[in-house]
Amino acid sequence: MTTITSSLDVQLRSVSPRDAAALARLYNHGVASRLFTYVTEETTPERQFEVIDEAKLRYPFLVAVTDGQVAGYARLSPYGGTRPWHRGLGEVSIVVAPEFRGQGVGARLVSGIVDAARDAGFWKVVSLIFEPNMPSLSLFRRAGFRDVGVYERHGNLHGTWVNVVILERLILENQD
Ligand SMILES: CC(C)(COP(=O)(O)OP(=O)(O)OC[C@H]1O[C@@H](n2cnc3c(N)ncnc32)[C@H](O)[C@@H]1OP(=O)(O)O)[C@@H](O)C(=O)NCCC(=O)NCCS
């Protein structure tokens, strides 16, 4: 696993059902911020239990824990479709709680989810970022993702058209 300097003592572990309430809080910050999802409805811990169950099937889902608290999560979800040739592709999403940002948690999570994707046999991870979301674009670029391009006016969020930047990181070890 790549070593990332962090000012916090952060441990990564697989998600567990006991994280459902913390995940709902993190996700709902994102819904309110309008920074990374078209979803406008808040989620609930009950719904997060279902998400965790679904995730257990195949896609890595990590939480970052510091001092017993969930500081953030990173997960992969299906990308491109469900045909056999899509099995090596995963879309990564990462959220860090506002009070833990700027302290290396996001960098640890990116590194951890790429390692987990490699271990699970994925050959590429992709991230779709709303264009004004500079912290996320910097995070992924710094972690070795390359810009693929920009989908212009890709979705509509509360009446505003949003451009979406596509980034990818190849996992060459799984491309033999
Ligand atoms: C993007 C996000 C995950 C970054 O998490 P973080 O823990 O604050 O990031 P880190 O402290 O590990 O910083 C890692 C790198 O990210 C970039 N970054 C983080 N915050 C930044 C900011 N405010 N402005 C510019 N770059 C930033 C930098 O490149 C940084 O590296 P550096 O410190 O060496 O310059 C966090 O801001 C967040 O949760 N945002 C809302 C959710 C979201 O938009 N997720 C992405 C969509 S999937």
Side-chain angles (χ1 to χ4, degrees), residues 22-166:
L23 294 182
R25 264 197 311 279
L26 281 168
Y27 193 77
N28 288 334
H29 272 298
V31 172
S33 74
R34 303 181 179 184
L35 267 178
F36 65 89
T37 177
Y38 296 111
V39 174
T40 52
E41 302 279 315
E42 292 203 341
T43 189
T44 60
E46 292 70 28
R47 171 64 191 133
Q48 292 306 303
F49 271 118
E50 293 166 25
V51 169
I52 291 165
D53 264 3
E54 287 163 18
K56 275 192 196 140
L57 293 177
R58 185 166 121 68
Y59 289 85
F61 193 152
L62 303 176
V63 292
V65 180
T66 182
D67 202 16
Q69 288 188 72
V70 173
Y73 71 81
R75 61 175 302 206
L76 287 190
S77 41
Y79 183 76
T82 54
R83 301 283 190 175
W85 51 88
H86 295 125
R87 72 185 188 286
L89 305 177
E91 181 179 345
V92 58
S93 44
I94 298 191
V95 181
V96 172
E99 64 272 27
F100 291 111
R101 289 181 192 166
Q103 300 174 80
V105 178
R108 281 289 304 276
L109 282 164
V110 181
S111 168
I113 203 73
V114 171
D115 287 343
R118 181 182 297 109
D119 292 347
F122 288 82
W123 56 74
K124 180 185 286 194
V125 289
V126 171
S127 188
L128 301 181
I129 303 293
F130 290 180
E131 198 168 47
N133 191 345
M134 274 317 295
S136 293
L137 290 172
S138 303
L139 174 76
F140 285 108
R141 287 169 180 156
R142 196 164 169 74
F145 285 63
R146 76 172 191 100
D147 286 49
V148 176
V150 179
Y151 285 126
E152 292 186 0
R153 297 168 71 84
H154 199 54
N156 193 294
L157 185 64
H158 301 282
T160 302
W161 287 101
V162 181
N163 291 352
V164 173
V165 183
I166 317 154

